[in-house]
Amino acid sequence: METKSPSALEDHLGYWLRLVSNHVSAAFADRLAGCGVSVAEWVMLRELYDRDRGPSLLADRLGMTRGAVTKLADRLLARKLILRAANPEDGRAQVLFLTKRGWARVPRLAALADQNDAEFFSGLSGRDQAQLRDLLLKIVKDRDLRDLPTE
């Protein structure tokens, strides 16, 4: 009886996605590290740029435990990039929001994300980039993927 050889790594789309993702993510983490910010900190700062949020809501949005969000927030608080205050609608709850310093930092960090994307995806036409984004969004929707990448 003849046994079939297992498929090669390169035969799997996941292999190629992981290869590209690892390189894109590592380069972005290096860019952020040059500014003293981790990827998880960047994600939290960017989320707070759009609106103030409570730690529980952030934990749900980021796919992190509340304890992990608290530790992350503590690091950003220590660097005066965010503040924590009582929620005006519910004094028992807290809300996190950006300081002026944090607010000013987000566009600069977003520019690094844009530069990183340009570096890795400039070999694709605008149409190819849109098609890749559409295909990835289809997978996200089909698989009901919700957690934001923080690593």
Side-chain angles (χ1 to χ4, degrees), residues 25-43 45 79 105-106 108-113 116 150:
S25 298
F28 185 50
D30 288 346
R31 288 176 195 266
L32 289 174
C35 295
V37 176
S38 72
V39 173
E41 291 167 343
W42 150 246
V43 171
L45 290 169
R79 296 198 332 256
R105 173 105 25 124
V106 170
R108 292 195 307 261
L109 298 174
L112 294 178
N116 202 62
T150 56

Side-chain angles (χ1 to χ4, degrees), residues 16-135:
W16 295 108
L17 282 170
R18 183 74 178 191
L19 178 69
V20 172
S21 176
N22 284 351
H23 286 277
V24 172
S25 298
F28 185 50
D30 288 346
R31 288 176 195 266
L32 289 174
C35 295
V37 176
S38 72
V39 173
E41 291 167 343
W42 150 246
V43 171
M44 180 179 278
L45 290 169
R46 185 60 187 88
E47 281 293 299
L48 293 174
Y49 189 83
D50 289 331
R51 61 180 271 199
D52 303 342
R53 294 185 190 268
S56 294
L57 220 74
L58 269 173
D60 291 343
R61 176 86 173 122
L62 302 179
M64 300 172 77
T65 65
R66 195 174 187 294
V69 166
T70 298
K71 287 179 184 179
L72 189 58
D74 288 345
R75 291 197 317 249
L76 295 171
L77 281 160
R79 296 198 332 256
K80 299 182 178 13
L81 295 173
I82 68 170
L83 289 173
R84 182 184 291 141
N87 185 330
E89 297 170 11
D90 178 359
R92 298 169 296 166
Q94 296 180 337
V95 66
L96 300 173
F97 57 94
L98 294 175
T99 61
K100 286 183 184 178
R101 183 177 177 187
W103 188 263
R105 173 105 25 124
V106 170
R108 292 195 307 261
L109 298 174
L112 294 178
D114 295 340
Q115 290 168 7
N116 202 62
D117 273 6
E119 177 183 325
F120 279 92
F121 301 110
S122 62
L124 300 175
S125 69
R127 184 178 181 179
D128 286 346
Q129 288 181 37
Q131 186 176 19
L132 177 58
R133 184 177 295 107
D134 289 346
L135 290 169

